[in-house]
Amino acid sequence: MNITKEQIDDLNAVVKVAITKEDYQDKVDTILRDYKKQANIPGFRKGQVPMGLIKKQYGKAVLVDEVNKLLQDNLNKYLTEEKLDVLGNPLPKQQDNFDWDQDELAFEFELGLAPNFEVSLKTKKPITQYKIVADDKMIKEQVERIQKQYGKLVSKDEVSKNDEVSGTFFNEEEEIDSKTMIETDKLKSKKALDALKGKKVGDVVTLKTKGLFNEDHMLSSALGIDKQKAESLDTEVTFTISEINEREAAELNQELFDKLFGPDSVKSEKELKERIKEDSEKQFEQQSDQKLLNDVTEYFIDNTKFELPTGFLTKWIQTTGEEPLSEEQAVEEYAKSEKGLRYQLIEGKIIRDNELQVQFDELKEFSKGFIRSQMAQFGQLDPKEEELDNIAARVLGNQDEVKRLSEQLMSQKLLNLYKEKANLKTKEVTYENFVKEVYG
């Protein structure tokens, strides 16, 4: 077997593979002899079928199969040994009326080669790194939410501004018949609030659905209908009151602090606010980090210039999917995927240049961190190390989970690298202003 490469240009090459009978004949003969032993052909006893008939019936198929295996194994080996950085997979060049009986079989494969380029982590234009802080207003609102959540319900005779009113929404035409509880301070419609004020158990109030709640998603839940229907619904519903309660705020005392954070972790209202600030800003950090990662990614894509073997990649997309695409469809698919491909190449270059690796011990600790945070959500604030190790071992026994966690850990390593080496400017904002500035 002989393999050679013809360089077309910096991004395209053709690999030529010449295979002789000596490369495959012994293997083909062995398989045909096994076929002869097992063949059941009418008129012949098992194992007594003439070899000529076996070759006539199976020879070409066995030959093609063995040559294809040889091509795949040796082509992959060649690409590895020659350290060719290819995009996609080698594409066989079409050969019409190919003669499988000739002594030497010649094949050609088109290659799309990865471009050479450099990535400068020190961005020319500074990229904003947001530091989201929990301001006094947010902390105050959070304290009030906690007091309300852990407060006690006190039954009332009539509805006022800050009550929890249980009842049933009804509209026969729209097939609405939903028992629910609404909080009057979450009503957006002043007319609805005025209509409810002063009402008692058993009273029926007619309300408009359009703009009823502060947050649109609350309507679908309250009416027991799907979100899509709720978004377009503009009608009237009746609300029959069955219960009226006022939630009396819980006292900020040691009993509440222990309930929230465990015994003696927080001992005063001041410490409570400090803890809320600390926990909130930890959560905000995840959002600001994701924003930074997205912005750095976009910067590199826009500012790292290199050519791609567009013609090859379009042809590869056209021929390698589950269903063959037309040339027009392939061009459209390439346009959709080009940006992602560019970043894959840029990210791979950054990882290699900075020798970033995911070690198993790191991955294990990373997975334990996820497990620890998930357990905390269910109130298990201090799991034993042995328990974490056992769960992590089960998680890392799943290859899909290993892949997912490895990608997340590598993203974290890249983020840390960008924080260290990129040209960043820190901007301190409240969460409210962060949402306005980033998401409009």
Side-chain angles (χ1 to χ4, degrees):
M1 179 180 297
N2 185 39
I3 303 180
T4 57
K5 176 169 71 77
E6 178 188 347
Q7 194 77 27
I8 307 301
D9 54 40
D10 289 343
L11 300 174
N12 295 275
V14 173
V15 168
K16 298 179 180 181
V17 184
I19 297 178
T20 64
K21 280 189 175 182
E22 287 77 14
D23 296 317
Y24 60 79
Q25 195 63 56
D26 287 347
K27 184 68 174 172
V28 169
D29 289 343
T30 299
I31 293 171
L32 290 176
R33 282 195 295 271
D34 289 340
Y35 276 29
K36 183 178 184 300
K37 292 174 187 176
Q38 303 298 326
N40 284 310
I41 296 178
F44 298 95
R45 284 185 296 170
K46 186 176 179 180
Q48 299 300 314
V49 181
M51 181 54 83
L53 188 57
I54 294 292
K55 285 183 177 180
K56 185 177 180 181
Q57 192 158 349
Y58 302 109
K60 184 61 66 66
V62 172
L63 169 63
V64 171
D65 188 46
E66 286 306 309
V67 168
N68 279 332
K69 286 178 186 175
L70 269 175
L71 282 171
Q72 187 174 350
D73 292 346
N74 286 278
L75 190 56
N76 289 339
K77 185 180 176 184
Y78 175 81
L79 296 178
T80 302
E81 289 176 349
E82 294 295 314
K83 297 179 181 175
L84 295 176
D85 192 1
V86 298
L87 302 179
N89 294 313
L91 286 178
K93 293 184 80 170
Q94 188 68 35
Q95 298 183 66
D96 297 326
N97 303 316
F98 188 79
D99 183 7
W100 287 94
D101 295 324
Q102 58 191 323
D103 289 339
E104 185 175 285
L105 304 175
F107 303 90
E108 293 186 356
F109 295 87
E110 296 178 61
L111 301 182
L113 304 177
N116 289 318
F117 59 93
E118 296 300 323
V119 182
S120 173
L121 292 177
K122 201 70 177 175
T123 55
K124 291 179 182 178
K125 180 183 175 183
I127 297 172
T128 300
Q129 179 182 8
Y130 289 93
K131 178 175 172 53
I132 308 172
V133 296
D135 59 354
D136 291 341
K137 178 188 171 190
M138 171 177 275
I139 294 168
K140 181 174 178 287
E141 289 172 351
Q142 185 77 335
V143 170
E144 289 172 355
R145 272 197 292 272
I146 289 170
Q147 287 183 277
K148 189 173 182 180
Q149 181 183 347
Y150 288 90
K152 63 180 180 180
L153 288 176
V154 179
S155 181
K156 292 184 65 182
D157 292 330
E158 59 182 51
V159 179
S160 59
K161 188 177 180 182
N162 294 304
D163 291 340
E164 297 180 8
V165 186
S166 298
T168 303
F169 280 111
F170 183 79
N171 179 306
E172 186 174 7
E173 186 180 344
E174 297 292 344
E175 299 181 337
I176 294 168
D177 188 357
S178 174
K179 290 183 179 179
T180 189
M181 185 275 289
I182 59 176
E183 297 174 64
T184 53
D185 62 352
K186 291 184 178 175
L187 290 170
K188 182 178 182 181
S189 168
K190 188 175 182 302
K191 284 185 179 179
L193 182 58
D194 290 342
L196 282 165
K197 277 182 182 177
K199 295 298 185 291
K200 299 180 179 180
V201 171
D203 287 348
V204 180
V205 183
T206 299
L207 304 171
K208 275 190 164 293
T209 59
K210 190 77 171 175
L212 182 58
F213 293 102
N214 290 329
E215 298 177 37
D216 292 339
H217 70 86
M218 296 175 69
L219 185 65
S220 64
S221 175
L223 300 185
I225 57 178
D226 65 55
K227 186 179 176 183
Q228 191 173 359
K229 181 178 179 179
E231 285 174 353
S232 59
L233 189 66
D234 186 5
T235 188
E236 289 185 342
V237 290
T238 60
F239 184 69
T240 304
I241 298 171
S242 61
E243 191 178 349
I244 306 166
N245 292 298
E246 181 181 20
R247 191 169 286 273
E248 194 175 276
E251 286 185 43
L252 297 176
N253 55 25
Q254 196 60 48
E255 183 184 354
L256 178 61
F257 302 153
D258 290 349
K259 216 180 261 185
L260 291 169
F261 303 107
D264 296 327
S265 291
V266 170
K267 295 182 180 178
S268 66
E269 184 178 342
K270 182 185 176 187
E271 287 184 17
L272 171 67
K273 289 179 178 179
E274 288 171 353
R275 182 66 179 264
I276 289 171
K277 180 177 175 65
E278 180 187 340
D279 290 350
S280 297
E281 290 180 356
K282 271 184 188 174
Q283 292 179 359
F284 296 153
E285 193 175 343
Q286 294 175 4
Q287 294 185 55
S288 61
D289 280 351
Q290 189 58 56
K291 171 64 177 165
L292 177 60
L293 195 59
N294 292 344
D295 288 348
V296 174
T297 297
E298 288 296 326
Y299 179 91
F300 285 144
I301 291 171
D302 292 341
N303 293 276
T304 307
K305 304 300 181 185
F306 53 81
E307 296 297 321
L308 288 169
T310 303
F312 169 85
L313 290 169
T314 304
K315 190 189 295 185
W316 179 68
I317 290 171
Q318 186 178 359
T319 58
T320 57
E322 288 184 13
E323 296 288 336
L325 302 179
S326 68
E327 187 174 343
E328 186 178 325
Q329 288 172 319
V331 168
E332 188 177 331
E333 284 300 312
Y334 174 74
K336 288 178 188 175
S337 60
E338 182 183 358
K339 190 173 182 179
L341 174 59
R342 284 184 176 277
Y343 186 65
Q344 281 180 26
L345 291 170
I346 293 168
E347 185 180 73
K349 175 72 172 168
I350 293 170
I351 289 169
R352 289 191 301 275
D353 286 354
N354 292 277
E355 298 180 347
L356 300 182
Q357 295 179 346
V358 172
Q359 305 289 351
F360 181 77
D361 287 345
E362 290 178 305
L363 190 61
K364 183 180 177 183
E365 288 305 310
F366 188 69
S367 67
K368 283 163 67 175
F370 267 105
I371 295 161
R372 197 179 280 110
S373 62
Q374 287 177 336
M375 292 175 79
Q377 291 175 16
F378 294 96
Q380 298 181 57
L381 301 176
D382 191 23
K384 292 180 180 177
E385 199 66 22
E386 184 182 355
E387 186 179 7
L388 290 171
D389 284 334
N390 290 337
I391 298 172
R394 289 199 296 274
V395 170
L396 297 176
N398 182 320
Q399 288 305 307
D400 290 337
E401 284 297 301
V402 170
K403 183 174 183 293
R404 182 180 68 84
L405 289 168
S406 295
E407 288 171 353
Q408 290 182 0
L409 179 53
M410 183 55 76
S411 287
Q412 186 62 53
K413 284 175 174 279
L414 285 165
L415 180 65
N416 293 339
L417 181 72
Y418 300 154
K419 285 181 178 181
E420 179 189 345
K421 296 193 174 183
N423 181 12
L424 305 180
K425 61 176 181 181
T426 301
K427 183 173 185 179
E428 192 170 289
V429 291
T430 64
Y431 183 71
E432 186 178 354
N433 288 337
F434 173 77
V435 171
K436 283 179 185 175
E437 191 165 325
V438 173
Y439 304 109

